[in-house]
Amino acid sequence: MDFTIREAVVGDWQDAGQICYDAFKTVSGEHGFPPDFPSVEAAALPLKWMIEHPRFYGAVAVRNGKVIGSIFMDERSSISAIGPITVQPGEQNAGVGKALMKAAMEHADMRGAISIRLLQLSFHNRSLSLYAKLGFDIRGAYGAMYGKPLGRRMPGYDVRVATPADEAACNALSVKVHGHERPGEVHEAIESGDARVVERLGRITAYTRASTTSPTPWPRRATTSRPSSARRGASARPASWSRCATATCSGGAWPRA
């Protein structure tokens, strides 16, 4: 291959951010969806935060001294989480994404991660095919919802800012819903004030957090003790039904190249 893969450094964040914005905007536009990021800055600043974070892994693909793609992986849990991975639109379909994925998977293997998870746009069949070839299995489907929250309150459900005293309950809820804890993510979200919990009858029944801490908007994820109908029916729906699919690769399924 005529490009190299190296670990990301702080000086890469602007180039990687531009590519991230262009790549997501292009594929979303091709399928009639709004872009995931409203601006280049909104895509780039979270990447800068991840490069500087000691518990994130980042790598870039470089050709002739120019960054043409990047990948980032959250290592704050025993299960690593990949995302985002993006390749400059003009450089796609040339093995760059596969090389970036292999670099991240090898890094996760070296640190002893028990598996890897990721979310991907289900309408992007090319990347879905790549993940399948690399040993990932589809575990569920999720919908991306946009708009202003209604701001309504439900009697008996108290939504409030999470406190350090809620950390154990949030991790227990994550194990119940996802099968594993997310201690690093939960701890940092509570510490930064980004986490919210739902308390009912003195018990934490749901929590939500920002995916990362940055000065720009970032999608939020929610964990609830009652799986939604979307999750229960995901296996019976076509891939195009939901905007996002989650895939998991266990350590034993990682390819050895």
Side-chain angles (χ1 to χ4, degrees):
M1 59 186 183
D2 61 346
F3 58 87
T4 58
I5 305 295
R6 62 166 172 79
E7 193 162 339
V9 296
V10 175
D12 297 322
W13 73 273
Q14 290 177 306
D15 290 337
Q18 181 69 60
I19 292 170
C20 184
Y21 175 78
D22 291 341
F24 275 105
K25 181 180 180 181
T26 298
V27 70
S28 294
E30 288 174 347
H31 293 84
F33 286 100
D36 287 73
F37 302 98
S39 66
V40 174
E41 182 184 47
L45 287 176
L47 302 191
K48 180 176 184 291
W49 180 83
M50 284 186 265
I51 291 173
E52 294 175 336
H53 197 294
R55 298 186 68 185
F56 273 77
Y57 168 78
V60 294
V62 180
R63 175 182 285 132
N64 298 324
K66 181 181 178 182
V67 173
I68 59 173
S70 67
I71 189 169
F72 295 90
M73 182 166 63
D74 187 342
E75 299 184 315
R76 293 175 292 177
S77 170
S78 58
I79 295 180
S80 296
I82 287 179
I85 170 175
T86 51
V87 177
Q88 185 67 39
E91 301 285 353
Q92 294 174 4
N93 303 316
V96 179
K98 183 177 182 180
L100 287 167
M101 282 293 296
K102 283 189 172 182
M105 294 169 71
E106 289 170 3
H107 184 83
D109 200 5
M110 286 189 294
R111 86 172 185 94
I114 59 176
S115 68
I116 302 174
R117 59 186 171 88
L118 61 84
L119 279 171
Q120 90 117 43
L121 300 175
S122 58
F123 54 70
H124 194 197
N125 290 330
R126 284 179 293 133
S127 61
L128 185 60
S129 297
L130 170 62
Y131 302 143
K133 289 177 181 177
L134 291 174
F136 284 76
D137 296 315
I138 295 177
R139 297 299 189 188
Y142 301 86
M145 302 179 70
Y146 297 88
K148 185 178 180 180
L150 296 177
R152 296 176 180 172
R153 287 188 172 276
M154 296 177 62
Y157 293 85
D158 182 26
V159 180
R160 58 173 174 79
V161 175
T163 69
D166 300 318
E167 190 169 334
C170 290
N171 277 312
L173 188 59
S174 181
V175 172
K176 183 177 181 180
V177 175
H178 301 292
H180 61 88
E181 291 185 341
R182 291 177 173 171
E185 300 166 67
V186 171
H187 178 78
E188 289 185 11
I190 292 175
E191 192 175 57
S192 64
D194 289 330
R196 301 291 184 273
V197 296
V198 177
E199 186 173 354
R200 175 169 170 77
L201 301 177
R203 184 170 63 92
I204 302 299
T205 58
Y207 76 87
T208 184
R209 58 177 178 76
S211 292
T212 187
T213 53
S214 77
T216 58
W218 193 256
R220 290 183 177 269
R221 296 173 183 163
T223 296
T224 174
S225 60
R226 293 187 177 183
S228 67
S229 58
R231 284 198 184 119
R232 290 198 299 269
S235 60
R237 305 271 186 168
S240 59
W241 169 74
S242 176
R243 187 157 189 236
C244 300
T246 182
T248 301
C249 180
S250 63
W254 296 355
R256 296 292 184 264

